[in-house]
Amino acid sequence: MLFDAHMHIGDFPMFGVSLDLAGLRTIFAEQRLDGGVVFHPDNELVSRSVAEVEGAHGLFWANPRHPGVADDCDGFLGRGFVGVKLHPLLDGYHPNDPSVHPVMEVLRARRAPALIHCGHPIFTLPWSIEELVREFPDVSVILGHMGHGNIVYINAAIDVAARNDNVYLETSGMPMHSKIAEAVQRVGRERVLFGSDVPFHDAEVERLKVEKSGLSDEDLSWVLGRSAAQLFLS
Ligand SMILES: [Zn+2]
């Protein structure tokens, strides 16, 4: 079971990368993905795309600055989306801004998780996300990139997950394979999720990083897929 917990679709000219529907299909086929979650600020684009790829599921991109975001979120979750993506850095808000809370209330009611970009100042550091996590202890929150490229933030992301049972860690873009094993040891394999962050990172490289992290076969099977499938689909 291979489940990718972090997939973007669309064009990203600032980064010089893009992924269209054909590209998404290719990744699912080449990587033999059983499942994955896909997102973009244009939620209708995501809805059309995941309908075309077996195993692909949408996350609702929630920008709390948009009026009616909670109702929109509820609507998309009602149509089969399996959670929410929050990007406080791109959209410019503190993770625990009161405007985020109505979205979290929808997630609580629908028992669905939020994936939050984690690892860049000023809005996506682990300690700031922890404020939101503590406000909503019954909503599952995934720290996307588990701190990203900075060891202080990576360690803090693992600490936040260790302190809060509702926090999960997602591996994409985080360079240290050894920190994946440490995360499993400290918070348990069911709360560590493989993600690729395509097209910003290569799906195969990201998977290989997890496979080389020193986990047992049993732990690896959870991190590569079972943990995410359990969180998003059950
Ligand atoms: Zn991403």
Side-chain angles (χ1 to χ4, degrees), residues 31-103:
Q31 299 301 313
R32 298 185 182 171
L33 282 175
D34 298 293
V37 288
V38 180
F39 38 86
H40 181 274
D42 181 351
N43 291 298
E44 292 291 353
L45 167 72
V46 174
S47 184
R48 289 193 300 274
S49 303
V50 298
E52 300 286 325
V53 181
E54 196 182 342
H57 304 273
L59 292 188
F60 176 77
W61 188 292
N63 182 347
R65 295 178 179 278
H66 288 172
V69 63
D71 286 345
D72 286 350
C73 178
D74 195 53
F76 274 90
L77 292 181
R79 285 163 50 191
F81 277 34
V82 296
V84 154
K85 167 72 183 243
L86 291 169
H87 208 312
L89 183 70
L90 276 185
D91 291 332
Y93 58 90
H94 187 280
N96 196 33
D97 190 276
S99 65
V100 180
H101 294 179
V103 173

Side-chain angles (χ1 to χ4, degrees), residues 175-225:
M176 291 188 67
H177 64 290
S178 56
K179 285 291 169 184
I180 297 171
E182 182 184 325
V184 168
Q185 192 240 321
R186 288 192 57 202
V187 310
R189 61 197 183 193
E190 292 181 35
R191 287 201 282 137
V192 182
L193 317 175
F194 155 69
S196 70
D197 199 21
V198 288
F200 300 97
H201 298 279
D202 183 84
E204 190 163 346
V205 172
E206 289 295 320
R207 180 174 48 77
L208 199 57
K209 182 182 74 187
V210 177
E211 288 173 352
K212 302 281 273 183
S213 64
L215 295 174
S216 70
D217 288 348
E218 181 71 7
D219 286 348
L220 192 57
S221 81
W222 278 89
V223 173
L224 283 177

Side-chain angles (χ1 to χ4, degrees), residues 113-197:
L115 170 63
I116 307 181
H117 181 98
C118 173
H120 292 99
I122 56 174
F123 288 128
T124 66
L125 297 183
W127 309 277
S128 297
I129 299 171
E130 187 176 27
E131 293 179 32
L132 179 70
V133 158
R134 292 196 170 238
E135 193 95 19
F136 291 89
D138 44 3
V139 176
S140 296
V141 169
I142 306 151
L143 302 182
H145 317 297
M146 55 183 288
H148 222 292
N150 181 311
I151 188 60
V152 175
Y153 305 155
I154 297 165
N155 285 342
I158 298 172
D159 289 343
V160 167
R163 283 196 291 267
N164 299 279
D165 291 344
N166 56 326
V167 173
Y168 294 68
L169 300 165
E170 179 269 307
T171 59
S172 67
M174 191 282 295
M176 291 188 67
H177 64 290
S178 56
K179 285 291 169 184
I180 297 171
E182 182 184 325
V184 168
Q185 192 240 321
R186 288 192 57 202
V187 310
R189 61 197 183 193
E190 292 181 35
R191 287 201 282 137
V192 182
L193 317 175
F194 155 69
S196 70
D197 199 21

